[in-house]
Amino acid sequence: MPLPPFRLERFFACHEFTAPSLLCASDGETISVAELLDLVPGAAEGLSRLRLGYTDSRGAPELREAIAGLYTTISPDDVLVHVGAEEAIYTFMQAALHPGDDVVVPTPCYQSLSDVAGSMGCRVAPWRCDPAWGFAPDMGELGALLGDRARALVLNFPHNPTGYLPSPEVFASMIGLARERGVRVFSDEVYRLSEAEGVATLPAACDLDAGAVSLGVLSKSFGLAGLRVGWVACRDREFLSRMAAVKDYLSICGSAPSEYLAVCALTAKDALLSRMRALLAENRRLLEAFFHERSDLFHYVSPRGGLTVFPGLVSGDADGFCRAALERAGVLLLPGRLYGEEWPDRFRIGFGRVDFPENLEKFAKFCQDWQSGPKA
């Protein structure tokens, strides 16, 4: 079965680089190459000497060592570097699943987390993140969804697009139930280390379960999407080898300059993460005030982590609302239907960039006009 069109990515292909004000980006504010190199003594000279040949298909040894340092039980041989997170999602699904398998996936979700498996002939069982419960999924449903045929449980915390984050105890219960059923966990942790103030970072799934696969990337909390460096960490090296065999048909190996700069980023991770936390803290403050003042217009759940939120209209359809925001105010929002037909009143806002205050002001003016004027 062919892969369906990727709704969100086709939407961004049309609007991301033409909309005047991007208020729905999922990544964090970036920096220049020069700024990154300045954080690591000798890095600029090292980059100038870099040979531009093929790289280790597993990822540069120095990069895998730096990535392993983000975890408590992972060694460099437990890491497989990919070109971004998307490739890693694909290699996992191809290595873990067969036609007829069941896969449990939270909804809403990034489309490839469900549709790659669906295109392979798997049955995707959606696990709904309920707005009425702060977007928490119902733990009471998980056992029935896993059943006796599930081969994989997909988790995604902090959650895209809602910002939901379970407690460490609930997260451990999810992984424990999957382990009891013999189900492999694929934990999308691309927003890890972007938690709100006072909210603890969850342990990585790969540190809680030897068979679990943790997905990471430099695009979100580190703000380095242009490097296109992602990875998986898993202590089951036989399974990691199966993923590597799939990757041989995709990128094979990464870009030498990107991997070098990724090592620099992880060497300077404290500075990069502190920078992002300060930006997010201020933007969250503005976000909370904005929605508190407009509770008559929007349903809103505060994000516990991540760089996105998923508010909803009290009345009306988000497609027309988002279209009007772009046409009248030049503000790009992400309609909820891009995550599925069950989210017609929702839309995504991203708050990880430095121009967020300016774009939020434009959106506030649009909302005022929307409430007082004609909707068509």
Side-chain angles (χ1 to χ4, degrees):
M1 183 186 305
L3 285 164
F6 204 124
R7 297 181 298 273
L8 183 150
E9 297 299 343
R10 290 299 89 208
F11 177 85
F12 274 128
C14 291
H15 300 296
E16 183 175 8
F17 297 103
T18 58
S21 301
L22 195 62
L23 196 58
C24 57
S26 65
D27 60 337
E29 182 68 25
T30 196
I31 59 175
S32 70
V33 172
E35 289 171 311
L36 176 56
L37 293 174
D38 283 345
L39 295 174
V40 182
E45 294 79 3
L47 179 61
S48 70
R49 294 191 301 270
L50 185 69
R51 304 291 294 179
L52 297 178
Y54 286 122
T55 61
D56 188 329
S57 63
R58 298 168 298 170
E62 300 84 1
L63 178 55
R64 287 186 285 118
E65 182 175 0
I67 291 168
L70 298 172
Y71 306 97
T72 60
T73 66
I74 295 298
S75 77
D77 287 339
D78 301 324
V79 174
L80 179 62
V81 177
H82 288 75
V83 177
E86 179 77 272
E87 182 183 53
I89 294 170
Y90 188 85
T91 60
F92 171 83
M93 299 296 177
Q94 291 291 329
L97 303 174
H98 299 90
D101 289 342
D102 285 4
V103 185
V104 179
V105 183
T107 182
C109 72
Y110 189 61
Q111 188 175 331
S112 56
L113 292 173
S114 61
D115 283 11
V116 173
S119 75
M120 296 170 61
C122 299
R123 189 182 78 89
V124 178
W127 192 22
R128 180 178 170 82
C129 296
D130 195 334
W133 298 349
F135 288 110
D138 185 352
M139 284 295 295
E141 294 180 350
L142 183 56
L145 290 171
L146 292 173
D148 56 7
R149 293 176 51 191
R151 291 291 297 273
L153 168 63
V154 174
L155 301 176
N156 170 213
F157 305 119
H159 183 248
N160 173 15
T162 70
Y164 168 73
L165 186 70
S167 69
E169 294 77 16
V170 170
F171 185 60
S173 295
M174 295 174 185
I175 293 173
L177 183 56
R179 185 193 305 115
E180 291 172 8
R181 302 291 182 92
V183 176
R184 191 179 297 275
V185 170
F186 181 76
S187 183
D188 179 347
E189 298 166 5
V190 301
Y191 286 103
R192 193 166 183 254
L193 306 176
S194 65
E195 297 78 14
E197 303 92 315
V199 178
T201 299
L202 291 180
C206 63
D207 287 329
L208 296 179
D209 179 9
V213 177
S214 288
L215 171 67
V217 76
L218 291 179
S219 305
K220 311 301 185 183
S221 304
F222 289 87
L224 300 173
L227 292 186
R228 307 304 300 133
V229 171
W231 63 84
V232 292
C234 178
R235 286 178 278 160
D236 183 346
R237 294 182 185 173
E238 188 277 330
F239 182 75
L240 213 58
S241 295
R242 282 155 52 191
M243 290 185 65
V246 178
K247 183 171 173 276
D248 288 340
Y249 282 91
L250 301 171
S251 67
I252 304 177
C253 65
S255 156
S258 285
E259 293 199 353
Y260 178 89
L261 292 171
V263 173
C264 294
L266 292 170
T267 301
K269 65 179 181 296
D270 291 342
L272 290 173
L273 292 173
S274 294
R275 163 187 160 273
M276 188 61 69
R277 288 192 184 106
L279 174 63
L280 293 177
E282 176 59 18
N283 286 352
R284 282 194 194 96
R285 184 187 67 78
L286 297 173
L287 194 69
E288 297 295 317
F290 176 89
F291 282 107
H292 177 74
E293 294 169 3
R294 294 166 179 81
S295 58
D296 59 329
L297 185 58
F298 301 112
H299 298 295
Y300 176 70
V301 176
S302 298
R304 287 171 47 79
L307 281 68
T308 62
V309 290
F310 203 46
L313 293 169
V314 169
S315 63
D317 185 278
D319 283 359
F321 180 77
C322 293
R323 185 168 54 251
L326 180 59
E327 293 174 351
R328 300 182 193 177
V331 173
L332 187 67
L333 307 168
L334 194 72
R337 276 197 176 92
L338 294 176
Y339 287 96
E341 288 298 323
E342 64 270 36
W343 307 102
D345 61 330
R346 297 273 161 180
F347 58 95
R348 188 179 83 182
I349 284 180
F351 58 94
R353 294 193 178 181
V354 73
D355 61 358
F356 175 76
E358 170 190 338
N359 293 336
L360 190 65
E361 284 188 16
K362 295 177 182 178
F363 183 47
K365 177 63 166 59
F366 166 76
C367 291
Q368 180 180 344
D369 295 344
W370 175 268
Q371 285 184 291
S372 60
K375 303 299 186 288

